[in-house]
Every structure is written in structure tokens, then in C-alpha cells.
Amino acid sequence: MIIKNVDLEIVCGPTSKLPATTLPEVAFAGRSNVGKSSLINALMNRKSYARTSSQPGKTQTINFYNINKEIYFVDLPGYGYAKASKTEVEKWGVMIERYLNTSKMLRCVFLLVDIRHDPGKNDKIMYDWVTSSGFTPVIVATKLDKINRSQINKQIAAIRKGLGADDAVIIPFSATGKQGREEIYEIIDKVLEDTV
């Protein structure tokens, strides 16, 4: 996939009506601070187009990035941020669930988890939401550069077990070294091929 054109086209808040888009969509979900904006920026070849923040929990909207006028990257709100109020957390949950259940153009969900840790309760909830919406999420294990190569297989096995993701594809990814980016592009290219 060669990214020529990126446009943040639609931003939906908790009360916004979700857009009826006509292009295929791939969504990115993950808890706050898992490196979602860094992954999206790495895929878009942009330094800071998707907002990265030192304050986790900043993405409180669903952001639709139009890529090459042929597909949307959909950035879902980060979940599981401890400092957010209960009402805020519920609002994000409702937004994410509503999007997963109503988008007619959603073709693939990338679920990001931190490769350094076993999946948490919120990761498991998110995984179950995605599967109950009819998708098998592609698991992106972020922050690959923060662990030793010798730990990779052990951590991937822990992620698979923690999520109950026996059949899921798991892609270890580093935003700094860009490892894993080509594998993600291949999946996105497949989505585009299947749409034609």
C-alpha cells in the first residue's frame, strides 16, 4: 500500500450521528496509551497527523481518515483510562459498540494490545465485543521495540491465551522501527481487493 493522500474527514462525538460512508473502513481499537496514534501515523507515513498525547484517553471521538480516497482508517476512542470519569468511560463504550454494530462499510478491526503485558480485562471485553459483532480482530502487539527478541514468542502466546484468540492473526509491531507495518498493509490491501 502506498499512501499518497490523507485527510481527516469526519470526527464523531458521543452524540454525533455516525456517517454513512461509501468506502470500506478498517478500524483501530485499543486501550489508552497502547500506541494507537503512533501506529496510525506510521501507517499513514505522517509524523503526527493522528494526535499522540502524553495524556492517555485523549481520543474521545471516532476519527475517520480518508486514505487515497479509497479507504477509511477509523480511529476509535482509547478505552480503559483510569482517570476518566465513569460516565465518560460509559460514553466511549457506547460509541465504540454503536460503531461496531452499525457501520455498513467496516471490513476489518485491528485490536492493539501492549506486547509487554498480558491482556487486561478491558482488552478481553473489547475482543469479545469485536467478535460478537461478527469480526475476527487482527491483533497488533505494539511496543515491540521495548522487549527482547527472546521474549516475543512467549508474549504472543500470553496474548493469545489472555484474549482467547486461538485463530486470530497476531502482528508484533514497533512504531519506531516500523516492524510489522508491511504485514498490516497486506491485510489492508486484501480488504481493498475484496471490495473491488
Side-chain angles (χ1 to χ4, degrees):
M1 170 167 232
I2 297 162
I3 310 266
K4 298 178 187 144
N5 221 306
V6 173
D7 183 22
L8 174 55
E9 203 171 271
I10 306 158
V11 176
C12 290
T15 54
S16 313
K17 189 171 184 294
L18 286 166
T21 64
T22 53
L23 298 175
E25 297 165 9
V26 294
F28 298 86
R31 66 178 180 72
S32 303
N33 218 10
V34 75
K36 193 156 47 69
S37 301
S38 302
L39 167 73
I40 293 171
N41 284 327
L43 291 175
M44 296 193 300
N45 275 326
R46 302 293 190 275
K47 276 247 160 30
S48 54
Y49 202 95
R51 287 188 300 260
T52 54
S53 171
S54 54
Q55 265 186 299
K58 266 305 201 206
T59 309
Q60 299 177 15
T61 50
I62 298 179
N63 299 331
F64 289 74
Y65 295 93
N66 187 327
I67 309 294
N68 295 346
K69 304 203 179 325
E70 57 181 3
I71 192 166
Y72 282 106
F73 286 2
V74 181
D75 184 6
L76 298 173
Y79 54 81
Y81 180 48
K83 284 195 183 147
S85 73
K86 197 160 179 260
T87 357
E88 270 181 320
V89 171
E90 278 165 11
K91 259 191 231 158
W92 302 341
V94 168
M95 278 168 80
I96 294 170
E97 208 169 4
R98 185 168 57 122
Y99 170 73
L100 290 173
N101 289 328
T102 60
S103 168
K104 299 224 174 356
M105 298 307 288
L106 180 59
R107 298 291 177 264
C108 177
V109 179
F110 292 95
L111 175 59
L112 282 64
V113 294
D114 188 327
I115 198 163
R116 298 171 299 178
H117 309 295
D118 289 0
K121 189 178 79 167
N122 288 317
D123 296 316
K124 178 67 176 139
I125 290 170
M126 190 70 213
Y127 179 82
D128 292 344
W129 269 358
V130 174
T131 51
S132 68
S133 302
F135 296 93
T136 300
V138 174
I139 314 295
V140 180
T142 61
K143 308 191 191 250
L144 176 63
D145 45 291
K146 307 263 197 244
I147 65 167
N148 294 327
R149 291 184 72 89
S150 59
Q151 294 175 283
I152 296 172
N153 288 341
K154 177 175 150 285
Q155 289 308 110
I156 286 177
I159 289 168
R160 199 176 285 290
K161 186 175 177 216
L163 293 175
D166 298 340
D167 304 325
V169 172
I170 299 181
I171 301 171
F173 175 80
S174 161
T176 48
K178 309 287 187 287
Q179 291 98 322
R181 183 167 69 170
E182 290 309 313
E183 290 93 323
I184 295 170
Y185 280 157
E186 277 171 31
I187 290 169
I188 295 170
D189 283 337
K190 181 89 172 62
V191 167
L192 285 168
E193 277 166 33
D194 292 349
T195 308
V196 175

